[in-house]
Amino acid sequence: MKTHFLILAALLSDVFYVSADSETVVDPESGLTFSVNFSGRTVTSVDFYGGELPDDGVLRIPDIIQYNGQNVEVTGISKEMNANNPSYKESLKELWIPESVKSISSGLFAGYEELSDVNLEGVDSIGTNAFGNCAKLRNVSLPEGLTSIPDSCFMNCVSLTQITFPESLDVIGNMSFKDAGLNSVTIPGDVSLVDFAAFQGCPLTSVTIEGSDASPKDMQLGHYAFFTNTDTLRKVLCYRPVPPVMTGTGTSFSPATFRNAYLQLLGDAESHLAEYEADPYWSLFMSEDKPIYTSVDGLMDDLYGGEYYVYDMNGVLRMKTMDSSLPYLPKGMYIVNGHKVII
């Protein structure tokens, strides 16, 4: 009986040994801590776990660390990172995630008070609210290969005034940039959905929707997708031959935007003016004295860059400004940088 017990114990010990396990190690080169996960003698993944930040608050997660005398690839960021490093929320200023890390968990960096710069390199999956409420975030590098920006990902990032989307992007999720600081956005041609309130509350002055005859035929704009709370959005440029579907029954833009902004069709969209004029919601950009423009109408992009000289119709200089919204002018017709503009 004793022999049988020893044999059984040995078998159970072997079974336990080959099961998944982990070990926390300090990388000798970076001084950072990692969780090495393995099955048997095989390393299955390596997650960044934490460690002391340098005085400048810059965290560069390496792509390779030393483990048992071997180089192993860093593949993730532990969900326990915040619990084990509570000071990060108050002291992390710049984040570099290596190309070997492909995903970021939901809420992982939400509410980081000092975080200003993020480089995601090879990340192709981001969790919801990953960077929400980072008030000082101003620079984000999004890599090619990223197909979706999830719900609330950069919500309330008030210092984020510009963003460049990768051409691989397909979906911009619910409230992903709601109340962020963006003043202009360019939506890549392969995007199929700009979801509910994606850019609501941003102080947008211009929106560009790219596309061509080669683009997917359907694009949907959700309720309040570009709904601004102010009268700042004055320019909407659209290159898509098929008018994007406003699923929000005309609430994708605010009434002030429909009333005051110019819609200009460019590229392959120019030959589809009739479809935009017939669309029940895109036609809201039209009025008796404000048509939907194409490139032949002279409302070119250079009208909105640099310094603006505003003359009334009698040739009197009324304003010289850098503000493309041309503030404080009463409604009427003006000549701006040589172009006729209706306000």
Short mmCIF file of all heavy atoms in Angstrom, two decimals, residues 16-61:
data_model
loop_
_atom_site.label_atom_id
_atom_site.label_comp_id
_atom_site.label_asym_id
_atom_site.label_seq_id
_atom_site.Cartn_x
_atom_site.Cartn_y
_atom_site.Cartn_z
N PHE A 16 1.09 18.14 -11.71
CA PHE A 16 1.16 19.53 -11.24
C PHE A 16 2.29 20.28 -11.95
O PHE A 16 2.14 21.42 -12.32
CB PHE A 16 1.38 19.53 -9.73
CG PHE A 16 1.58 20.90 -9.16
CD1 PHE A 16 0.50 21.74 -8.97
CD2 PHE A 16 2.84 21.38 -8.85
CE1 PHE A 16 0.67 23.01 -8.46
CE2 PHE A 16 3.02 22.65 -8.35
CZ PHE A 16 1.94 23.46 -8.15
N TYR A 17 3.40 19.62 -12.19
CA TYR A 17 4.57 20.26 -12.78
C TYR A 17 4.32 20.75 -14.20
O TYR A 17 4.77 21.81 -14.59
CB TYR A 17 5.75 19.26 -12.76
CG TYR A 17 7.00 19.82 -13.39
CD1 TYR A 17 7.77 20.77 -12.72
CD2 TYR A 17 7.40 19.40 -14.66
CE1 TYR A 17 8.91 21.28 -13.31
CE2 TYR A 17 8.53 19.92 -15.25
CZ TYR A 17 9.29 20.86 -14.56
OH TYR A 17 10.41 21.37 -15.13
N VAL A 18 3.55 19.99 -14.99
CA VAL A 18 3.32 20.37 -16.38
C VAL A 18 2.16 21.34 -16.54
O VAL A 18 1.89 21.81 -17.61
CB VAL A 18 3.08 19.13 -17.28
CG1 VAL A 18 4.27 18.22 -17.26
CG2 VAL A 18 1.81 18.38 -16.84
N SER A 19 1.45 21.63 -15.43
CA SER A 19 0.35 22.58 -15.53
C SER A 19 0.92 23.99 -15.67
O SER A 19 2.08 24.25 -15.36
CB SER A 19 -0.56 22.48 -14.30
OG SER A 19 0.16 22.87 -13.15
N ALA A 20 0.04 24.93 -16.13
CA ALA A 20 0.48 26.31 -16.33
C ALA A 20 0.91 26.91 -15.00
O ALA A 20 0.32 26.65 -13.96
CB ALA A 20 -0.64 27.12 -16.96
N ASP A 21 1.96 27.70 -15.01
CA ASP A 21 2.47 28.32 -13.79
C ASP A 21 3.14 29.62 -14.18
O ASP A 21 3.23 29.97 -15.36
CB ASP A 21 3.47 27.38 -13.11
CG ASP A 21 3.49 27.60 -11.60
OD1 ASP A 21 3.02 28.67 -11.15
OD2 ASP A 21 3.99 26.73 -10.89
N SER A 22 3.59 30.40 -13.20
CA SER A 22 4.25 31.67 -13.50
C SER A 22 5.29 31.97 -12.45
O SER A 22 5.28 31.42 -11.34
CB SER A 22 3.23 32.80 -13.59
OG SER A 22 2.62 33.01 -12.33
N GLU A 23 6.17 32.89 -12.80
CA GLU A 23 7.23 33.31 -11.91
C GLU A 23 7.49 34.79 -12.16
O GLU A 23 7.54 35.24 -13.31
CB GLU A 23 8.49 32.49 -12.18
CG GLU A 23 9.68 32.88 -11.31
CD GLU A 23 10.92 32.07 -11.64
OE1 GLU A 23 10.81 31.11 -12.44
OE2 GLU A 23 11.99 32.40 -11.11
N THR A 24 7.62 35.55 -11.10
CA THR A 24 7.92 36.97 -11.20
C THR A 24 9.42 37.17 -11.18
O THR A 24 10.10 36.70 -10.26
CB THR A 24 7.26 37.76 -10.06
OG1 THR A 24 5.84 37.54 -10.09
CG2 THR A 24 7.53 39.24 -10.20
N VAL A 25 9.95 37.86 -12.17
CA VAL A 25 11.39 38.05 -12.28
C VAL A 25 11.70 39.51 -12.56
O VAL A 25 10.86 40.26 -13.08
CB VAL A 25 11.99 37.17 -13.41
CG1 VAL A 25 11.74 35.70 -13.14
CG2 VAL A 25 11.44 37.58 -14.76
N VAL A 26 12.91 39.92 -12.22
CA VAL A 26 13.39 41.26 -12.51
C VAL A 26 14.39 41.16 -13.66
O VAL A 26 15.37 40.41 -13.58
CB VAL A 26 14.05 41.91 -11.28
CG1 VAL A 26 14.63 43.28 -11.65
CG2 VAL A 26 13.04 42.06 -10.15
N ASP A 27 14.12 41.91 -14.72
CA ASP A 27 15.04 41.91 -15.86
C ASP A 27 16.30 42.68 -15.47
O ASP A 27 16.22 43.85 -15.08
CB ASP A 27 14.36 42.58 -17.07
CG ASP A 27 15.29 42.72 -18.25
OD1 ASP A 27 15.97 41.73 -18.58
OD2 ASP A 27 15.34 43.83 -18.83
N PRO A 28 17.49 42.05 -15.54
CA PRO A 28 18.71 42.71 -15.09
C PRO A 28 19.08 43.96 -15.89
O PRO A 28 19.72 44.87 -15.36
CB PRO A 28 19.78 41.62 -15.24
CG PRO A 28 19.22 40.66 -16.24
CD PRO A 28 17.74 40.68 -16.03
N GLU A 29 18.66 44.04 -17.14
CA GLU A 29 19.05 45.18 -17.96
C GLU A 29 18.17 46.39 -17.72
O GLU A 29 18.65 47.51 -17.54
CB GLU A 29 19.02 44.80 -19.44
CG GLU A 29 19.51 45.93 -20.35
CD GLU A 29 19.69 45.48 -21.79
OE1 GLU A 29 19.85 44.27 -22.03
OE2 GLU A 29 19.66 46.36 -22.67
N SER A 30 16.85 46.19 -17.70
CA SER A 30 15.93 47.33 -17.53
C SER A 30 15.60 47.60 -16.07
O SER A 30 15.16 48.71 -15.73
CB SER A 30 14.64 47.06 -18.30
OG SER A 30 13.93 45.96 -17.73
N GLY A 31 15.76 46.60 -15.21
CA GLY A 31 15.39 46.74 -13.81
C GLY A 31 13.90 46.63 -13.58
O GLY A 31 13.43 46.79 -12.45
N LEU A 32 13.12 46.34 -14.62
CA LEU A 32 11.67 46.23 -14.51
C LEU A 32 11.28 44.79 -14.18
O LEU A 32 12.04 43.84 -14.38
CB LEU A 32 11.01 46.66 -15.82
CG LEU A 32 11.27 48.11 -16.24
CD1 LEU A 32 10.71 48.38 -17.63
CD2 LEU A 32 10.66 49.08 -15.22
N THR A 33 10.06 44.64 -13.66
CA THR A 33 9.56 43.35 -13.20
C THR A 33 8.60 42.77 -14.23
O THR A 33 7.76 43.48 -14.79
CB THR A 33 8.86 43.49 -11.84
OG1 THR A 33 9.77 44.09 -10.91
CG2 THR A 33 8.43 42.13 -11.31
N PHE A 34 8.70 41.45 -14.42
CA PHE A 34 7.86 40.76 -15.40
C PHE A 34 7.33 39.46 -14.81
O PHE A 34 7.96 38.84 -13.95
CB PHE A 34 8.66 40.45 -16.67
CG PHE A 34 9.12 41.67 -17.40
CD1 PHE A 34 10.27 42.35 -17.01
CD2 PHE A 34 8.38 42.17 -18.46
CE1 PHE A 34 10.68 43.49 -17.66
CE2 PHE A 34 8.78 43.32 -19.11
CZ PHE A 34 9.94 43.98 -18.71
N SER A 35 6.16 39.08 -15.28
CA SER A 35 5.58 37.80 -14.93
C SER A 35 5.81 36.83 -16.09
O SER A 35 5.28 37.04 -17.19
CB SER A 35 4.08 37.95 -14.65
OG SER A 35 3.48 36.70 -14.40
N VAL A 36 6.62 35.80 -15.85
CA VAL A 36 6.92 34.81 -16.87
C VAL A 36 5.97 33.62 -16.67
O VAL A 36 5.96 32.99 -15.61
CB VAL A 36 8.38 34.33 -16.78
CG1 VAL A 36 8.66 33.29 -17.85
CG2 VAL A 36 9.33 35.52 -16.92
N ASN A 37 5.16 33.36 -17.65
CA ASN A 37 4.18 32.28 -17.59
C ASN A 37 4.69 31.11 -18.41
O ASN A 37 5.18 31.30 -19.53
CB ASN A 37 2.83 32.77 -18.11
CG ASN A 37 2.40 34.06 -17.42
OD1 ASN A 37 2.16 34.08 -16.23
ND2 ASN A 37 2.33 35.14 -18.19
N PHE A 38 4.58 29.92 -17.86
CA PHE A 38 5.10 28.77 -18.57
C PHE A 38 4.26 27.54 -18.32
O PHE A 38 3.46 27.47 -17.37
CB PHE A 38 6.57 28.50 -18.17
CG PHE A 38 6.80 28.43 -16.69
CD1 PHE A 38 6.66 27.24 -15.99
CD2 PHE A 38 7.18 29.57 -15.98
CE1 PHE A 38 6.88 27.19 -14.62
CE2 PHE A 38 7.39 29.52 -14.61
CZ PHE A 38 7.25 28.32 -13.92
N SER A 39 4.41 26.57 -19.18
CA SER A 39 3.78 25.27 -19.04
C SER A 39 4.89 24.24 -19.15
O SER A 39 5.56 24.15 -20.19
CB SER A 39 2.74 25.05 -20.14
OG SER A 39 2.13 23.78 -20.01
N GLY A 40 5.10 23.49 -18.07
CA GLY A 40 6.26 22.62 -18.05
C GLY A 40 7.51 23.45 -18.10
O GLY A 40 7.70 24.39 -17.33
N ARG A 41 8.37 23.17 -19.02
CA ARG A 41 9.60 23.95 -19.19
C ARG A 41 9.49 24.96 -20.33
O ARG A 41 10.47 25.59 -20.70
CB ARG A 41 10.78 23.00 -19.44
CG ARG A 41 11.13 22.11 -18.27
CD ARG A 41 12.32 21.22 -18.59
NE ARG A 41 12.73 20.46 -17.43
CZ ARG A 41 12.21 19.29 -17.08
NH1 ARG A 41 11.24 18.77 -17.81
NH2 ARG A 41 12.64 18.67 -16.00
N THR A 42 8.30 25.11 -20.89
CA THR A 42 8.10 26.00 -22.03
C THR A 42 7.49 27.33 -21.60
O THR A 42 6.43 27.35 -20.97
CB THR A 42 7.19 25.34 -23.09
OG1 THR A 42 7.74 24.10 -23.49
CG2 THR A 42 7.02 26.25 -24.29
N VAL A 43 8.15 28.44 -21.91
CA VAL A 43 7.61 29.77 -21.62
C VAL A 43 6.49 30.06 -22.62
O VAL A 43 6.68 29.99 -23.83
CB VAL A 43 8.71 30.85 -21.73
CG1 VAL A 43 8.11 32.24 -21.57
CG2 VAL A 43 9.79 30.62 -20.67
N THR A 44 5.31 30.36 -22.09
CA THR A 44 4.15 30.61 -22.96
C THR A 44 3.89 32.10 -23.19
O THR A 44 3.38 32.49 -24.24
CB THR A 44 2.90 29.97 -22.36
OG1 THR A 44 2.70 30.46 -21.02
CG2 THR A 44 3.04 28.45 -22.32
N SER A 45 4.21 32.94 -22.21
CA SER A 45 4.02 34.39 -22.36
C SER A 45 4.82 35.11 -21.28
O SER A 45 5.15 34.53 -20.24
CB SER A 45 2.54 34.78 -22.26
OG SER A 45 2.02 34.45 -20.99
N VAL A 46 5.11 36.37 -21.56
CA VAL A 46 5.83 37.21 -20.61
C VAL A 46 5.09 38.54 -20.52
O VAL A 46 4.94 39.25 -21.53
CB VAL A 46 7.29 37.45 -21.04
CG1 VAL A 46 7.99 38.38 -20.05
CG2 VAL A 46 8.05 36.13 -21.14
N ASP A 47 4.61 38.89 -19.33
CA ASP A 47 3.83 40.11 -19.13
C ASP A 47 4.60 41.13 -18.30
O ASP A 47 5.19 40.78 -17.26
CB ASP A 47 2.51 39.80 -18.41
CG ASP A 47 1.60 38.92 -19.23
OD1 ASP A 47 1.70 38.96 -20.47
OD2 ASP A 47 0.79 38.17 -18.64
N PHE A 48 4.56 42.37 -18.75
CA PHE A 48 5.13 43.44 -17.93
C PHE A 48 4.33 43.56 -16.65
O PHE A 48 3.10 43.61 -16.66
CB PHE A 48 5.12 44.77 -18.69
CG PHE A 48 5.49 45.94 -17.84
CD1 PHE A 48 6.80 46.11 -17.40
CD2 PHE A 48 4.53 46.87 -17.46
CE1 PHE A 48 7.15 47.19 -16.59
CE2 PHE A 48 4.87 47.95 -16.67
CZ PHE A 48 6.19 48.11 -16.24
N TYR A 49 5.02 43.64 -15.51
CA TYR A 49 4.37 43.58 -14.20
C TYR A 49 4.55 44.88 -13.41
O TYR A 49 3.74 45.21 -12.57
CB TYR A 49 4.96 42.42 -13.42
CG TYR A 49 4.13 41.95 -12.25
CD1 TYR A 49 2.90 41.32 -12.44
CD2 TYR A 49 4.60 42.10 -10.95
CE1 TYR A 49 2.16 40.87 -11.36
CE2 TYR A 49 3.87 41.66 -9.86
CZ TYR A 49 2.64 41.05 -10.08
OH TYR A 49 1.91 40.60 -9.00
N GLY A 50 5.66 45.61 -13.68
CA GLY A 50 5.86 46.86 -12.97
C GLY A 50 7.33 47.16 -12.74
O GLY A 50 8.20 46.74 -13.50
N GLY A 51 7.60 47.88 -11.68
CA GLY A 51 8.96 48.29 -11.37
C GLY A 51 9.04 49.79 -11.18
O GLY A 51 8.13 50.54 -11.55
N GLU A 52 10.14 50.25 -10.63
CA GLU A 52 10.30 51.66 -10.33
C GLU A 52 10.50 52.47 -11.62
O GLU A 52 11.29 52.12 -12.48
CB GLU A 52 11.51 51.86 -9.41
CG GLU A 52 11.67 53.29 -8.92
CD GLU A 52 12.79 53.43 -7.91
OE1 GLU A 52 13.32 52.39 -7.47
OE2 GLU A 52 13.14 54.58 -7.59
N LEU A 53 9.75 53.58 -11.70
CA LEU A 53 9.89 54.46 -12.85
C LEU A 53 11.12 55.34 -12.70
O LEU A 53 11.48 55.73 -11.59
CB LEU A 53 8.66 55.37 -12.98
CG LEU A 53 7.35 54.76 -13.46
CD1 LEU A 53 6.26 55.82 -13.45
CD2 LEU A 53 7.50 54.18 -14.85
N PRO A 54 11.75 55.71 -13.83
CA PRO A 54 12.83 56.69 -13.74
C PRO A 54 12.28 58.06 -13.36
O PRO A 54 11.07 58.31 -13.43
CB PRO A 54 13.42 56.71 -15.16
CG PRO A 54 12.33 56.17 -16.03
CD PRO A 54 11.55 55.21 -15.19
N ASP A 55 13.16 58.97 -12.97
CA ASP A 55 12.73 60.28 -12.49
C ASP A 55 11.96 61.08 -13.54
O ASP A 55 11.11 61.91 -13.20
CB ASP A 55 13.94 61.10 -12.03
CG ASP A 55 14.59 60.51 -10.78
OD1 ASP A 55 13.91 59.75 -10.07
OD2 ASP A 55 15.77 60.81 -10.53
N ASP A 56 12.25 60.84 -14.83
CA ASP A 56 11.56 61.59 -15.88
C ASP A 56 10.17 61.05 -16.19
O ASP A 56 9.45 61.60 -17.02
CB ASP A 56 12.41 61.66 -17.15
CG ASP A 56 12.69 60.28 -17.75
OD1 ASP A 56 12.16 59.27 -17.25
OD2 ASP A 56 13.46 60.23 -18.73
N GLY A 57 9.77 59.95 -15.54
CA GLY A 57 8.43 59.40 -15.73
C GLY A 57 8.22 58.68 -17.05
O GLY A 57 7.08 58.38 -17.42
N VAL A 58 9.29 58.36 -17.77
CA VAL A 58 9.19 57.69 -19.06
C VAL A 58 9.35 56.18 -18.87
O VAL A 58 10.36 55.72 -18.32
CB VAL A 58 10.27 58.22 -20.04
CG1 VAL A 58 10.18 57.46 -21.37
CG2 VAL A 58 10.09 59.70 -20.26
N LEU A 59 8.37 55.43 -19.32
CA LEU A 59 8.40 53.98 -19.23
C LEU A 59 8.56 53.39 -20.62
O LEU A 59 7.67 53.54 -21.47
CB LEU A 59 7.11 53.45 -18.60
CG LEU A 59 6.95 51.92 -18.56
CD1 LEU A 59 8.08 51.26 -17.76
CD2 LEU A 59 5.58 51.54 -17.98
N ARG A 60 9.68 52.74 -20.85
CA ARG A 60 9.92 52.03 -22.11
C ARG A 60 9.96 50.54 -21.80
O ARG A 60 10.94 50.04 -21.25
CB ARG A 60 11.24 52.49 -22.74
CG ARG A 60 11.24 53.94 -23.19
CD ARG A 60 12.59 54.34 -23.79
NE ARG A 60 12.61 55.72 -24.18
CZ ARG A 60 12.27 56.17 -25.39
NH1 ARG A 60 11.91 55.30 -26.33
NH2 ARG A 60 12.31 57.45 -25.68
N ILE A 61 8.90 49.86 -22.14
CA ILE A 61 8.84 48.42 -21.90
C ILE A 61 9.68 47.73 -22.97
O ILE A 61 9.44 47.92 -24.17
CB ILE A 61 7.39 47.92 -21.95
CG1 ILE A 61 6.54 48.65 -20.90
CG2 ILE A 61 7.33 46.41 -21.74
CD1 ILE A 61 5.07 48.32 -20.96
#
